[in-house]
Amino acid sequence: MTHDRPLPDANLPRFTGGRTLMLGSAAVGGLGLLLTLLGGLAQPRQALLAYLVAFMYWLGLCIGAISLVMGNHAAGARWNVTIRRISENIGAALPLFALLFLPLLIGARHIWFWVSPSEPLSRETLELLAHKAPYLNISSFTLRALGYFAIWSGVAWRLRGLSLQQDESGDAALTVAQRRLSPAGLVLFVLTFTFASFDWLMSLQPTWYSTIFGLYVYAGAFVASLALQCLIVTGLRSSESPLGRVISVDHQHNLGKLLLAFTAFWAYMAFSQYMLIWAGNLPEELQWIVTRSRGPWRPVGILILLGHFLIPFFLLLSRDLKRSPPALAAVAVWMLVIHYIDLYWVVMPAADLARLGLHWTHFTAFAGVGGLSLAAALWLLRSARPVPVKDPFLEDALRYVQP
């Protein structure tokens, strides 16, 4: 819905700020990775699992950002044009993760025991690993990873490239091209991220399987990415920056509504996975849930239930909260925190069932991967205009109000 009102000036020049933050983030990222490497020399399994959690966390934010771009293009949305470049720049950082994946590949035998089984295994486990060997072997594992990064990076850069070309030419056909690419790209992202979740997370316990697991991880990443974009938008609007004046409270409200909707969707995926495992009552499926429902992991699971769904869901029902920058930002920060806890709960029981296993490399790995990711996104932001200034639907986005 649009409304006649004085429009802010959206013809913003290329963004030139953020240089200090970009360089600082890169320095923190480099230091974090160096410290994680030192930790890995002493305790390789602990450090690499910490790195895997951090890697999946920041990768998910980028995957979710470009998924939002494609989802809006596929739906023919107009309201999001003023904030779309934020998502494009976050998603365009995806090629960095192909490089950041190398430590996981080099240390694969310390993370995924099927790479080089050394501990005594039962006959049944050995038979299952032999059965899965055509898929779970390091060669096909590496080739699939290359394919994932090629697809993700190619789609993200193609969409951003078309958008940047339009800044110069104003050709409406470029919008058509983006909207034609997005539905197929969205399907590719869902499928490839699902299989990446199977490869990198589910295979930590290779005798367990769940067909919903990939969607569970994808939904969590998308919710966290929405939370990040809520945090960015509320920060920009509070700063009274030129870009902040282009983003209205109605754009913020829409992001808050999406956060509410996909919080419920994540809960649906989590419940569906649990319900099917409970109803099937098969030993090979139960192990994953049972190990995370006992001992020190039980309170973590309860925290995730409350913090990832019940509390934010009821808070986000409030219209006033979604339109208040400080309130929405507080919920967004919490969603980003609980998403890390969720990934920790998925990964770390594979290392130790008896204790939570928090290690100092969790902090250094998070800072390392996060610092470099933030630096890459800021570098991309500084190389382009912050708003798609010649998008044919920009005026509609500027006039948008809540129906």
CSV table of all heavy atoms in Angstrom, one decimal, residues 45 49 108-127 129 203-207 287 349-353:
chain,number,residue,atom,x,y,z
A,45,ARG,N,40.3,-31.1,18.1
A,45,ARG,CA,38.9,-31.4,18.0
A,45,ARG,C,38.0,-30.3,18.6
A,45,ARG,O,37.1,-29.8,18.0
A,45,ARG,CB,38.6,-32.7,18.6
A,45,ARG,CG,37.1,-33.1,18.5
A,45,ARG,CD,36.9,-34.6,18.7
A,45,ARG,NE,35.5,-35.0,18.8
A,45,ARG,CZ,34.7,-35.1,17.8
A,45,ARG,NH1,35.1,-34.9,16.5
A,45,ARG,NH2,33.4,-35.5,17.9
A,49,LEU,N,35.6,-27.9,16.2
A,49,LEU,CA,34.2,-27.9,16.5
A,49,LEU,C,33.7,-26.5,16.8
A,49,LEU,O,32.6,-26.1,16.3
A,49,LEU,CB,33.8,-28.9,17.6
A,49,LEU,CG,33.8,-30.4,17.2
A,49,LEU,CD1,33.6,-31.2,18.4
A,49,LEU,CD2,32.8,-30.7,16.1
A,108,ALA,N,39.4,-32.2,8.7
A,108,ALA,CA,38.1,-33.0,8.7
A,108,ALA,C,38.2,-34.2,9.6
A,108,ALA,O,37.2,-34.6,10.2
A,108,ALA,CB,37.9,-33.4,7.2
A,109,ARG,N,39.3,-34.9,9.7
A,109,ARG,CA,39.4,-36.1,10.4
A,109,ARG,C,39.2,-35.9,11.9
A,109,ARG,O,38.8,-36.8,12.7
A,109,ARG,CB,40.7,-36.8,10.2
A,109,ARG,CG,41.9,-36.1,10.6
A,109,ARG,CD,43.2,-36.8,10.2
A,109,ARG,NE,44.4,-36.1,10.7
A,109,ARG,CZ,45.0,-36.3,11.8
A,109,ARG,NH1,44.5,-37.3,12.7
A,109,ARG,NH2,46.1,-35.7,12.2
A,110,HIS,N,39.4,-34.7,12.4
A,110,HIS,CA,39.2,-34.3,13.8
A,110,HIS,C,37.7,-34.0,14.1
A,110,HIS,O,37.3,-34.0,15.2
A,110,HIS,CB,40.1,-33.2,14.2
A,110,HIS,CG,41.5,-33.4,14.1
A,110,HIS,ND1,42.2,-34.3,15.0
A,110,HIS,CD2,42.5,-32.9,13.3
A,110,HIS,CE1,43.5,-34.4,14.7
A,110,HIS,NE2,43.7,-33.5,13.6
A,111,ILE,N,37.0,-33.7,13.0
A,111,ILE,CA,35.6,-33.3,13.2
A,111,ILE,C,34.6,-34.4,12.9
A,111,ILE,O,33.7,-34.7,13.8
A,111,ILE,CB,35.3,-32.1,12.3
A,111,ILE,CG1,36.3,-30.9,12.5
A,111,ILE,CG2,33.8,-31.6,12.5
A,111,ILE,CD1,36.2,-29.9,11.4
A,112,TRP,N,34.7,-35.0,11.8
A,112,TRP,CA,33.8,-36.0,11.3
A,112,TRP,C,34.5,-37.4,11.4
A,112,TRP,O,35.4,-37.7,10.6
A,112,TRP,CB,33.3,-35.8,9.9
A,112,TRP,CG,32.6,-34.4,9.8
A,112,TRP,CD1,31.3,-34.2,10.1
A,112,TRP,CD2,33.2,-33.2,9.2
A,112,TRP,NE1,31.0,-32.9,9.8
A,112,TRP,CE2,32.1,-32.2,9.3
A,112,TRP,CE3,34.4,-32.8,8.7
A,112,TRP,CZ2,32.3,-30.9,8.8
A,112,TRP,CZ3,34.6,-31.5,8.2
A,112,TRP,CH2,33.5,-30.6,8.3
A,113,PHE,N,34.1,-38.2,12.3
A,113,PHE,CA,34.9,-39.5,12.6
A,113,PHE,C,34.8,-40.4,11.4
A,113,PHE,O,35.7,-41.3,11.3
A,113,PHE,CB,34.5,-40.1,13.9
A,113,PHE,CG,33.3,-40.9,13.9
A,113,PHE,CD1,33.3,-42.2,13.4
A,113,PHE,CD2,32.1,-40.4,14.3
A,113,PHE,CE1,32.1,-43.0,13.4
A,113,PHE,CE2,30.9,-41.2,14.3
A,113,PHE,CZ,30.9,-42.5,13.9
A,114,TRP,N,33.8,-40.3,10.5
A,114,TRP,CA,33.7,-41.2,9.4
A,114,TRP,C,34.9,-41.0,8.4
A,114,TRP,O,35.1,-41.8,7.5
A,114,TRP,CB,32.4,-41.0,8.7
A,114,TRP,CG,32.0,-39.6,8.3
A,114,TRP,CD1,31.3,-38.7,9.0
A,114,TRP,CD2,32.5,-38.9,7.1
A,114,TRP,NE1,31.2,-37.5,8.3
A,114,TRP,CE2,31.9,-37.6,7.1
A,114,TRP,CE3,33.3,-39.3,6.0
A,114,TRP,CZ2,32.1,-36.7,6.1
A,114,TRP,CZ3,33.5,-38.4,5.0
A,114,TRP,CH2,32.9,-37.1,5.1
A,115,VAL,N,35.5,-39.8,8.5
A,115,VAL,CA,36.6,-39.5,7.5
A,115,VAL,C,37.8,-40.5,7.7
A,115,VAL,O,38.4,-41.0,6.8
A,115,VAL,CB,37.1,-38.1,7.7
A,115,VAL,CG1,38.4,-37.9,6.8
A,115,VAL,CG2,36.1,-37.1,7.3
A,116,SER,N,38.1,-40.8,9.0
A,116,SER,CA,39.2,-41.7,9.3
A,116,SER,C,38.9,-42.4,10.7
A,116,SER,O,39.4,-42.0,11.7
A,116,SER,CB,40.5,-40.9,9.4
A,116,SER,OG,41.6,-41.8,9.8
A,117,PRO,N,38.0,-43.4,10.6
A,117,PRO,CA,37.6,-44.1,11.9
A,117,PRO,C,38.8,-44.7,12.6
A,117,PRO,O,39.5,-45.5,12.0
A,117,PRO,CB,36.6,-45.1,11.4
A,117,PRO,CG,36.1,-44.7,10.1
A,117,PRO,CD,37.3,-44.0,9.5
A,118,SER,N,38.9,-44.3,13.9
A,118,SER,CA,40.1,-44.9,14.6
A,118,SER,C,39.6,-45.5,15.9
A,118,SER,O,40.2,-46.5,16.4
A,118,SER,CB,41.1,-43.8,15.0
A,118,SER,OG,40.5,-42.7,15.7
A,119,GLU,N,38.5,-45.0,16.5
A,119,GLU,CA,38.0,-45.6,17.8
A,119,GLU,C,37.3,-46.9,17.5
A,119,GLU,O,36.8,-47.1,16.4
A,119,GLU,CB,37.1,-44.6,18.5
A,119,GLU,CG,35.9,-44.2,17.6
A,119,GLU,CD,35.2,-43.0,18.2
A,119,GLU,OE1,35.7,-41.9,18.1
A,119,GLU,OE2,34.1,-43.2,18.7
A,120,PRO,N,37.2,-47.8,18.5
A,120,PRO,CA,36.5,-49.1,18.3
A,120,PRO,C,35.0,-48.8,18.0
A,120,PRO,O,34.3,-48.0,18.7
A,120,PRO,CB,36.7,-49.8,19.6
A,120,PRO,CG,37.8,-49.1,20.3
A,120,PRO,CD,37.9,-47.7,19.8
A,121,LEU,N,34.5,-49.4,16.9
A,121,LEU,CA,33.1,-49.2,16.5
A,121,LEU,C,32.4,-50.5,16.4
A,121,LEU,O,33.0,-51.6,16.2
A,121,LEU,CB,33.1,-48.5,15.1
A,121,LEU,CG,33.7,-47.2,15.0
A,121,LEU,CD1,33.7,-46.7,13.5
A,121,LEU,CD2,33.0,-46.1,15.8
A,122,SER,N,31.1,-50.5,16.7
A,122,SER,CA,30.3,-51.7,16.7
A,122,SER,C,30.2,-52.2,15.2
A,122,SER,O,30.4,-51.4,14.3
A,122,SER,CB,28.9,-51.4,17.2
A,122,SER,OG,28.2,-50.6,16.4
A,123,ARG,N,29.8,-53.5,15.1
A,123,ARG,CA,29.7,-54.0,13.8
A,123,ARG,C,28.6,-53.3,13.0
A,123,ARG,O,28.7,-53.1,11.8
A,123,ARG,CB,29.4,-55.5,13.9
A,123,ARG,CG,29.1,-56.2,12.6
A,123,ARG,CD,28.8,-57.7,12.8
A,123,ARG,NE,28.5,-58.3,11.5
A,123,ARG,CZ,28.1,-59.6,11.4
A,123,ARG,NH1,27.9,-60.4,12.5
A,123,ARG,NH2,27.8,-60.1,10.2
A,124,GLU,N,27.5,-53.0,13.7
A,124,GLU,CA,26.4,-52.3,13.0
A,124,GLU,C,26.8,-50.9,12.5
A,124,GLU,O,26.5,-50.6,11.4
A,124,GLU,CB,25.2,-52.1,14.0
A,124,GLU,CG,24.0,-51.5,13.4
A,124,GLU,CD,22.9,-51.3,14.4
A,124,GLU,OE1,23.1,-51.6,15.6
A,124,GLU,OE2,21.8,-50.8,14.1
A,125,THR,N,27.6,-50.2,13.3
A,125,THR,CA,28.1,-48.9,12.9
A,125,THR,C,29.0,-49.0,11.7
A,125,THR,O,28.9,-48.2,10.7
A,125,THR,CB,28.8,-48.2,14.0
A,125,THR,OG1,27.9,-48.0,15.2
A,125,THR,CG2,29.4,-46.8,13.6
A,126,LEU,N,29.9,-50.0,11.7
A,126,LEU,CA,30.8,-50.2,10.5
A,126,LEU,C,30.0,-50.5,9.3
A,126,LEU,O,30.3,-50.1,8.2
A,126,LEU,CB,31.8,-51.3,10.9
A,126,LEU,CG,32.8,-51.0,11.9
A,126,LEU,CD1,33.6,-52.2,12.3
A,126,LEU,CD2,33.8,-49.9,11.4
A,127,GLU,N,28.9,-51.3,9.4
A,127,GLU,CA,28.1,-51.7,8.3
A,127,GLU,C,27.4,-50.4,7.7
A,127,GLU,O,27.3,-50.2,6.5
A,127,GLU,CB,27.1,-52.8,8.6
A,127,GLU,CG,27.7,-54.1,8.9
A,127,GLU,CD,26.7,-55.2,9.3
A,127,GLU,OE1,25.6,-54.8,9.6
A,127,GLU,OE2,27.1,-56.4,9.4
A,129,LEU,N,28.4,-47.3,8.0
A,129,LEU,CA,29.4,-46.4,7.4
A,129,LEU,C,29.7,-46.9,6.0
A,129,LEU,O,29.9,-46.2,5.1
A,129,LEU,CB,30.6,-46.3,8.3
A,129,LEU,CG,30.4,-45.5,9.6
A,129,LEU,CD1,31.7,-45.5,10.4
A,129,LEU,CD2,30.0,-44.1,9.3
A,203,SER,N,26.2,-35.2,9.6
A,203,SER,CA,27.2,-36.3,9.6
A,203,SER,C,28.2,-36.3,10.7
A,203,SER,O,29.1,-37.2,10.8
A,203,SER,CB,28.0,-36.3,8.3
A,203,SER,OG,29.0,-35.2,8.3
A,204,LEU,N,28.0,-35.4,11.7
A,204,LEU,CA,28.8,-35.5,12.9
A,204,LEU,C,28.4,-36.8,13.7
A,204,LEU,O,29.2,-37.3,14.4
A,204,LEU,CB,28.5,-34.3,13.8
A,204,LEU,CG,29.1,-32.9,13.4
A,204,LEU,CD1,28.5,-31.8,14.1
A,204,LEU,CD2,30.6,-32.9,13.5
A,205,GLN,N,27.1,-37.2,13.5
A,205,GLN,CA,26.6,-38.5,14.0
A,205,GLN,C,26.1,-39.2,12.8
A,205,GLN,O,24.9,-39.2,12.5
A,205,GLN,CB,25.6,-38.3,15.0
A,205,GLN,CG,26.1,-37.6,16.3
A,205,GLN,CD,25.0,-37.3,17.3
A,205,GLN,OE1,24.6,-36.1,17.5
A,205,GLN,NE2,24.5,-38.3,18.0
A,206,PRO,N,27.0,-39.9,12.0
A,206,PRO,CA,26.6,-40.4,10.7
A,206,PRO,C,25.6,-41.5,10.7
A,206,PRO,O,25.1,-41.9,9.6
A,206,PRO,CB,27.9,-40.8,10.0
A,206,PRO,CG,28.8,-41.1,11.2
A,206,PRO,CD,28.4,-40.1,12.3
A,207,THR,N,25.4,-42.1,11.8
A,207,THR,CA,24.4,-43.2,11.9
A,207,THR,C,23.0,-42.7,12.1
A,207,THR,O,22.0,-43.4,12.0
A,207,THR,CB,24.7,-44.2,13.0
A,207,THR,OG1,24.7,-43.5,14.2
A,207,THR,CG2,26.0,-44.9,12.7
A,287,GLN,N,18.3,-41.6,18.8
A,287,GLN,CA,19.6,-41.3,19.5
A,287,GLN,C,19.9,-39.8,19.5
A,287,GLN,O,20.4,-39.3,20.5
A,287,GLN,CB,20.7,-42.0,18.8
A,287,GLN,CG,20.9,-41.7,17.3
A,287,GLN,CD,22.1,-42.3,16.7
A,287,GLN,OE1,23.2,-42.0,17.1
A,287,GLN,NE2,21.9,-43.1,15.6
A,349,PRO,N,27.1,-31.7,21.3
A,349,PRO,CA,26.9,-33.1,21.9
A,349,PRO,C,27.7,-34.2,21.2
A,349,PRO,O,27.9,-35.2,21.7
A,349,PRO,CB,25.4,-33.3,21.9
A,349,PRO,CG,24.9,-31.9,21.9
A,349,PRO,CD,25.8,-31.0,21.1
A,350,ALA,N,28.0,-33.9,19.9
A,350,ALA,CA,28.7,-34.9,19.1
A,350,ALA,C,30.1,-35.1,19.7
A,350,ALA,O,30.8,-36.1,19.5
A,350,ALA,CB,28.8,-34.5,17.7
A,351,ALA,N,30.6,-34.1,20.5
A,351,ALA,CA,32.0,-34.2,21.0
A,351,ALA,C,31.9,-34.8,22.4
A,351,ALA,O,32.8,-35.5,22.8
A,351,ALA,CB,32.6,-32.8,21.1
A,352,ASP,N,30.9,-34.4,23.2
A,352,ASP,CA,30.9,-34.8,24.6
A,352,ASP,C,29.5,-34.7,25.2
A,352,ASP,O,28.9,-33.7,25.2
A,352,ASP,CB,31.8,-33.9,25.5
A,352,ASP,CG,32.1,-34.5,26.9
A,352,ASP,OD1,31.3,-35.4,27.3
A,352,ASP,OD2,33.1,-34.1,27.5
A,353,LEU,N,28.9,-35.9,25.5
A,353,LEU,CA,27.6,-35.9,26.0
A,353,LEU,C,27.5,-35.6,27.5
A,353,LEU,O,26.4,-35.2,28.0
A,353,LEU,CB,27.0,-37.3,25.8
A,353,LEU,CG,26.8,-37.8,24.4
A,353,LEU,CD1,26.3,-39.2,24.4
A,353,LEU,CD2,25.9,-36.9,23.6
